[in-house]
Amino acid sequence: MHALRRFLRRSALLHRWRFAPYATAYAIAKRIVPVRRDRTVFLSDSRAGFSGNFGFLVDELRRQRPDAEIFGLFKPNLGARRRLWDTLRLPWLIASAQTVVLDDFYPLIYPFRLRPETRLLQVWHASGAFKKVGWSRVDLPGGPVQGSLTHRNYTDALVGAETTRANYAEAFGIDVAKVHALGIPRTDVFFDAEVIERTAARIRDRYGIPADRRIAVFAPTFRGNGQLTAYYDLEQIPWEQVLAELGDEWVVLVKMHPFVRDAVIPAGVIDASDERELNDLLMASDVLITDYSSAIFEYALLDRPVVFFCPDIDDYTASRDFYYPFSDFLMGPLVKRGEDLAGAILSARTGPATAAFRERFLSACDGHASERVVREILLRPAVTVDRAALAPGGTPEPTRVTGGMRRQLLTAWAARTGLNLVYAPLKLLPSRRKVVMISREHPTEPEDFADLRAALAALDPRIRVVSLVRMVPPGIVGKARYSIHMLAQLYHVATARVLVVDTYAIVASVLRHKTDLTVVQIWHALGAFKKFGLSILGQQEGRDSRLAAAMRMHQGYDLVLTSSEQCRPAYAEAFGTDITRVAVAPLPRVDRLRDPARHARIRERIYARHPHLRNARIALFAPTFRLDGTMTVDVAALSQSLSTLGVHTVVKLHPLMHGAFGDEVDTADGFSTQEMLHVADLFITDYSSALYEAAVVGVPSYFLAPDLDEYLSSRNFYLDYRTDLPGPIVRTIEELTSAVSAEAATASDARAFARRWVEVPGDPSPEAGATPCADAIAQRLRDAAEAPRTRRLP
């Protein structure tokens, strides 16, 4: 019988079907009842009402949307019976909800096949990434069993810092793009000094603690595998000795975990276990004593000392484990014997470790988490953003092959074999002091190449520079012509000592080069914004991993250049190379952007061709390139809305995109996005890396991203989109217009962003004619051309 019970507890099939009646009722309900906009349902099997994160979200929801429909269905614990009325209405409320919010394990909802209009948000009751939970403990005691649906249907989850998104994605078995570093709602209160003082006074009054006595709160986590088996042994501490050593200046409050029932509280300490919110006790305390409780995360915001009492640290680590080494969490003394507890309490202090802990695990907690979560998740419909065609007749340039994967792989194999056969005899030709630059990203030679050519000529006229630039055209005839162009590439690469590319180039990665050739990647975009290259293989916006392997995507680089130290890890990931091969050297275009004389000349050229711009306040809108040729913003509506503020909008598409928007939309023909920045008063984009150029020029930036969550799932970013950008993020044209009216973005924010992500060699002041970026890269290329290598790097 015991074996049968154990089997049933560990049966994924039973876990999946034990709530079948609810799932069936939900399946019927979602075909009958519509989703009610602004209806939010809060569900918990571990609390009796709107407390914790729920309480903060409900208050903020009522503030932002007074007419919002709010429902809460609660049980104090998993073992409690659900009320009959709640049992009957629960599937129907979920079916009609725009957002469903959980704060803990909630097994009833996991078998539900949620309708696409509904968000299922998990605001996990514990902050930070401390002891492992959920799928991080698969097949361990208390963890999910293989084949179960636990946690996997969350559409969104919250964390307190960018650094812990991956940990929560692992714990819930969901894509990291669904985990948002928006902060933890209940931490907002720790940024309100008046509330902290008032709460502390209330706790002292409730327990009769005089103002002159210091408070130590003992709040350990439970032992066991969950609600039904939780326990804690208080007798392992010699309380009489501890209280004697602390003396009359101290009082100790014990707050047992809600899962621990019938704990025997020792004499001399105050039992505060009935307090639903531990945070209230934390605000009144002078020292926190805990072990593996996530209370340390909230307590760090108070900047008060913590004592870690962990007599079972070795056993607990072996059976439960942590997301990071336990030593990473220690911002106070570690005590293993109860006899040493009083001394640790008396000597505990805060210091740099506490500040570092806050920055690592709570960087998104700033007192406004509830506001962000309500605005960006609870009140925002979950349906996919409607996409509009790029423009009448508009289309993106083709950037990838089409057809069945088997045919593509066969074509890739044939191309690799054929090119290497043609290339092999060419490698017998002698190498010369020659630098070859190849791009298929531009229809004509890019300015970066032109500036490098000029810098090399000034540095060493003996070096020959060959620039081969041509986009891959559509159609069989166009590709046949491009193959002839590739023959020229093969010859020049075979006889060069340096090859420079600014995107993936077949001849750079597919061919087996001579040992004296140095291949340099100077990626065509500044900074490290949206993920690219090998970072997004297999994703919607990325290449198929099988085809990438067949075409040796981004292999063979000896040197990769990027614009700042911050970008080096991202570029190492994107190009699949060791970070030691990634060096800081911004693109030559930075010189052009910083040159005051050139700035003045470009402005006059633009005004001469487009005189209507001379006295206008100009907003430059530059959306990113999308493979499907669509946009999420109605540019005509954007132009009309901004015009009400006296702002004239100029739209510039990515070079790979084409479209005609009609007379109502100004595209300032004849000038690039970078050139238009010289006359722009503000810059608007969704995910374009042109934001780095705008930052260098010092143009205030706004981010109009109606499909942010969708884009996160298909592409994602290297930086934290919500916290690292130099301007406000909005989802609608109306929100953008309000932000522009309030001048929410500033030039100083843009320049600060540029200093972080674009490091000009020597950090000189802008000067007419100065080319420090081009000169630095030219020097690297010259060195490689003068001193050919004798072996290929691994």
Side-chain angles (χ1 to χ4, degrees), residues 44-65:
S44 179
D45 282 349
S46 60
R47 65 178 66 243
F50 289 110
S51 57
N53 285 321
F54 283 3
F56 285 91
L57 290 176
V58 167
D59 289 345
E60 180 63 26
L61 186 56
R62 286 172 174 155
R63 187 189 71 82
Q64 291 191 31
R65 194 66 60 85

Side-chain angles (χ1 to χ4, degrees), residues 243-385:
L243 295 174
E245 292 182 24
L246 289 177
D248 294 337
E249 294 182 1
W250 286 83
V251 62
V252 177
L253 274 68
V254 173
K255 171 70 169 75
M256 300 309 299
H257 192 282
F259 289 0
V260 177
R261 306 170 191 173
D262 304 322
V264 178
I265 306 300
V269 303
I270 298 175
D271 183 6
S273 299
D274 288 339
E275 288 290 337
R276 182 61 185 90
E277 291 304 320
L278 174 58
N279 284 352
D280 291 354
L281 298 176
L282 298 183
M283 293 178 190
S285 68
D286 296 284
V287 173
L288 171 65
I289 311 148
T290 189
D291 44 14
Y292 320 111
S293 169
S294 62
I296 61 173
F297 295 97
E298 282 90 345
Y299 203 65
L301 297 173
L302 292 171
D303 197 29
R304 298 175 189 175
V306 180
V307 173
F308 292 84
F309 178 62
C310 307
D312 59 344
I313 178 63
D314 296 331
D315 292 340
Y316 195 90
T317 301
S319 63
R320 187 62 185 259
D321 206 1
F322 305 92
Y323 285 106
Y324 302 95
F326 188 68
S327 58
D328 288 9
F329 303 102
L330 291 178
M331 48 182 166
L334 174 63
V335 178
K336 295 184 178 181
R337 299 191 324 136
E339 292 80 2
D340 300 327
L341 190 56
I345 295 172
L346 293 171
S347 62
R349 300 290 186 274
T350 58
T354 304
F357 181 90
R358 286 196 301 269
E359 178 61 28
R360 181 176 182 181
F361 294 107
L362 300 162
S363 58
C365 298
D366 57 1
H368 302 284
S370 301
E371 176 186 344
R372 284 191 296 271
V373 174
V374 169
R375 182 181 68 247
E376 299 191 27
I377 297 182
L378 267 61
L379 292 181
R380 191 169 62 82
V383 294
T384 301
V385 175

Side-chain angles (χ1 to χ4, degrees), residues 460-474:
D460 189 344
R462 298 173 301 166
I463 296 177
R464 183 186 177 194
V465 180
V466 177
S467 185
L468 302 171
V469 178
R470 184 173 298 182
M471 298 177 70
V472 181

Side-chain angles (χ1 to χ4, degrees), residues 133-187:
V133 298
W135 284 98
S136 301
R137 293 176 46 75
V138 61
D139 283 339
L140 293 174
V145 296
Q146 292 287 358
S148 81
L149 301 175
T150 299
H151 301 306
R152 292 187 180 277
N153 59 346
Y154 302 151
T155 63
D156 304 270
L158 296 184
V159 291
E162 182 70 21
T163 55
T164 58
R165 288 178 63 213
N167 304 128
Y168 275 67
E170 174 189 296
F172 298 143
I174 60 177
D175 191 279
V176 70
K178 298 179 179 181
V179 183
H180 314 296
L182 298 177
I184 308 302
R186 70 166 181 266
T187 65

